[in-house]
Amino acid sequence: MADLLPEHPDFLWRNPDPKPSYDAVIVGGGGHGLATAYYLAKNHGLTNIAILERGWLAGGNMARNTTIIRSNYLWDESAGIYEHSLKLWEGLPEELEYDFLFSQRGVMNLAHTLQDVRESQRRVNANVLNGVDAEWLDPQQVKELCPIINIGDDIRYPVMGATYQPRAGIAKHDHVAWAFARKCDEMGVDIIQNCEVTGFVKDGNRVVGVETSRGRINAGKVALAAAGHSSVLADLAGFRLPIQSHPLQALVSELFEPVHPTVVMSNHVHVYVSQAHKGELVMGAGLDAYNGYGQRGAFHVVEEQLAAAVELFPIFSRAHLLRTWGGIVDTTFDASPIISTTPIDELYVNCGWGTGGFKGTPASGYTFAHTIATGEAHPLNAPFALDRFETGHLIDEHGAAAVAH
């Protein structure tokens, strides 16, 4: 069907043993850890870096997401960092010299109630003011853009319109990780897999290294990019993070010829759907309500998500479910990330992205690298400091997150 998958380069990255010490150690070998190392080397000339991954590279949330990329968030702070991310996405295939199938096919967020309509139109206006491409579609325009969607008025939640961001889209997640890893390796970064951090070495209030399953590694700076396990690591380091970890499930169907030309998200009925490059339908839904670290979830969420999908797309009733999986998402009280210094000197944290982690990968790495290298926040991540939960300067993105946090 669709696009043929590109061939991988002959060589991707080394698998070195850890050195006794590094200028910086990044804990977490997913998209955010890799992007942070890449921008530390590219923008700040810091190459004596180790990325420590307790499993295999990009085997956590980077392998367990629905690959949606967009920047149509409500508040100025969110629009700033996600739009910067989208602009970086647009140049990354060429910059990383790797075709990871970035496809700007657009994203629609459906509205099903009058309140949805008011909130969605407000967000479109806010996006336009922030220079983010966004428009409001009426039901007929929704149908023209995505012919398989049901816009009839005889269903539970009729489609009353949608926001649309044309520059949004999807990318092939594992290829993105491999692209960053290859460039990091070229610049001398050590990617160390099967290396679990079990503790932190401190001199007074300053971190000077980490204890790992492969021995002690000294470090000038330590950066946490471990998503759902960030709170566990923070506890080991001696401070608490205001995040909760939940399973977030997704699923794919068998392969089909192209039937779904864009990305459709519905927060009210609750499902989001795209069609991947090989042809499978990729679907996600809301968080499982309980806290946990299991990479799976409860069946009732899958049942409700499929019911929602068939309601919006009757043609999907003929599709067969191929597999399901779960990621461990780290959610904050305001559905916005934390990219910040911590109460421990030279220890930095990047977490709390909830369901927005994949789309934020480039800007997350870009701004986190700046904070690590300089000890000061970049203007784009300054609003996402840890102390906002003390000052009350929250950035409430529960609506624009488009997932039930």
Side-chain angles (χ1 to χ4, degrees), residues 38-39 88-98 100 180 362:
Y38 172 72
Y39 287 112
L88 289 172
W89 278 113
E90 289 172 327
L92 273 177
E94 182 177 358
E95 182 178 326
L96 298 179
E97 300 177 293
Y98 202 115
F100 51 73
F180 273 118

Side-chain angles (χ1 to χ4, degrees), residues 146-218:
C146 185
I148 62 172
I149 200 165
N150 180 10
I151 61 168
D153 58 6
D154 57 347
I155 57 177
R156 273 189 314 163
Y157 298 109
V159 174
M160 300 181 71
T163 68
Y164 181 56
Q165 184 179 18
R167 289 168 52 242
I170 61 172
K172 192 150 177 32
H173 52 94
D174 44 4
H175 289 43
V176 172
W178 300 337
F180 273 118
R182 178 168 167 252
K183 279 298 178 186
C184 285
D185 185 82
E186 281 181 10
M187 292 187 286
V189 174
D190 283 356
I191 298 170
I192 303 167
Q193 301 176 85
N194 299 306
C195 184
E196 181 176 3
V197 170
T198 57
F200 294 85
V201 184
K202 291 194 281 188
D203 181 4
N205 193 52
R206 182 185 175 204
V207 69
V208 294
V210 290
E211 298 286 357
T212 80
S213 57
R214 297 178 65 174
R216 175 174 170 173
I217 301 173
N218 296 320

